[in-house]
């Protein structure tokens, strides 16, 4: 039976579990390969997570869209679509959000902690043998050196540049505008619409109306993948 396929990405994007690239991509592949699929809805409620896993999902969406260009794919956001969640959403044809949804947080973060002072108080002295000074940096068991901080910043900046380039391309924004929006802040759905980060304020019924404009019958059943 002809249908609209529904794939759900919920929770922190990580290497294992229901929000992993393997799980989501398997569902997307099943949706696109089914000859009865007339359109695909990607329902997202995610604060982000692993940039690698988000990137793998993004790449698979773009690959599937190239293979099946006639099948429209749109994102419908529930409460939150931030960071890696937004990275994934930007791969789809259109993005619908509620006016109060949380969208954006375009950026990259790497966190660590310096627990050397605490270890000193406890009388614990970590011993590390490594091949070079920048191996396993940053580490909570050693003070971050200026060289280590600089190397880590280069890594974060490169990942950030990839994120900004993708947003500029997929949202048809000047890179300077995408960079301006990518200061890490979150936006309401209404703000995201005003800044061009999403396509419309709406829900699944509104997105279904857009599918009808693309030739998909309005009353097709939804198949949850």
């Amino acid at each position: 039976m002809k249908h609209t396929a529904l794939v759900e990405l919920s929770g922190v994007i990580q290497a294992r579990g229901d929000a992993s690239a393997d799980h989501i991509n398997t569902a997307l592949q099943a949706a696109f390969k089914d000859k009865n699929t007339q359109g695909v809805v990607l329902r997202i409620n995610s604060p982000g997570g692993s940039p690698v896993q988000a990137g793998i999902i993004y790449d698979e969406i773009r690959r599937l869209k190239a293979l099946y260009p006639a099948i429209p794919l749109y994102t419908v956001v529930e409460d939150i679509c931030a960071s890696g969640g937004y990275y994934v959403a930007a791969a789809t044809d259109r993005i619908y959000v509620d006016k109060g949804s949380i969208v954006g947080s375009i950026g990259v973060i790497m966190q660590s902690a310096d627990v050397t002072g605490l270890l000193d108080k406890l009388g614990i002295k970590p011993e590390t043998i490594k091949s070079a000074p920048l191996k396993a940096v940053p580490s909570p068991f050693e003070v971050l050196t200026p060289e280590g901080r600089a190397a880590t910043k280069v890594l974060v900046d490169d990942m950030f540049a990839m994120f900004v380039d993708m947003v500029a391309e997929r949202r048809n924004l000047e890179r300077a505008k995408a960079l301006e929006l990518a200061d890490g802040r979150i936006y309401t759905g209404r703000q995201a619409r005003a800044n061009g980060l999403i396509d419309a304020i709406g829900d699944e019924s509104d997105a279904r109306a857009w599918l009808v404009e693309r030739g998909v019958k309005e009353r097709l059943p939804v198949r949850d993948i």
Side-chain angles (χ1 to χ4, degrees), residues 108 156-167 175 179:
V108 179
V156 169
D157 286 348
D158 190 50
M159 296 174 71
F160 176 62
M162 288 188 283
F163 201 161
V164 172
D165 289 342
M166 181 278 295
V167 171
R175 193 180 191 281
L179 190 60

Side-chain angles (χ1 to χ4, degrees), residues 90-151:
T92 65
D93 297 323
R94 289 176 69 87
I95 305 173
Y96 289 87
V97 308
D98 184 83
K99 61 182 179 298
S101 295
I102 298 301
V103 181
S105 188
I106 300 168
V108 179
I109 184 171
M110 181 178 289
Q111 293 177 309
S112 184
D114 181 353
V115 300
T116 55
L118 174 62
L119 294 178
D120 283 342
K121 291 180 180 180
L122 296 175
I124 299 172
K125 183 179 179 181
E127 294 288 353
T128 304
I129 300 172
K130 52 186 180 178
S131 57
L134 296 180
K135 178 68 176 176
V137 170
S139 167
F141 302 116
E142 59 185 64
V143 175
L144 186 61
T145 65
E147 294 78 14
R149 182 177 297 278

Side-chain angles (χ1 to χ4, degrees), residues 6 41-43 74 76-78 96 202-211 222:
L6 173 65
V41 177
L42 178 60
R43 183 191 293 158
Y74 58 79
V76 173
V77 175
E78 293 189 324
Y96 289 87
D203 54 20
E204 286 187 31
S205 62
D206 296 302
R208 189 181 292 268
W210 174 72
L211 277 180
V222 174

Side-chain angles (χ1 to χ4, degrees), residues 18-119:
D18 291 347
S20 67
D22 182 63
H23 185 86
I24 300 301
N25 286 350
T26 297
L28 287 168
Q29 290 160 8
F32 274 92
K33 291 177 180 178
D34 189 327
K35 66 180 185 302
N36 290 314
T37 297
Q38 304 300 294
V40 181
V41 177
L42 178 60
R43 183 191 293 158
I44 296 181
N45 191 9
S46 173
S50 165
V52 174
Q53 295 293 305
I56 293 172
I57 299 171
Y58 174 94
D59 290 341
E60 182 61 12
I61 289 174
R62 299 314 306 153
R63 186 187 75 84
L64 290 169
K65 282 297 301 178
L67 287 175
Y68 304 95
I71 299 178
L73 167 61
Y74 58 79
T75 291
V76 173
V77 175
E78 293 189 324
D79 296 286
I80 185 168
C81 181
S83 195
Y86 182 73
Y87 198 107
V88 171
T92 65
D93 297 323
R94 289 176 69 87
I95 305 173
Y96 289 87
V97 308
D98 184 83
K99 61 182 179 298
S101 295
I102 298 301
V103 181
S105 188
I106 300 168
V108 179
I109 184 171
M110 181 178 289
Q111 293 177 309
S112 184
D114 181 353
V115 300
T116 55
L118 174 62
L119 294 178

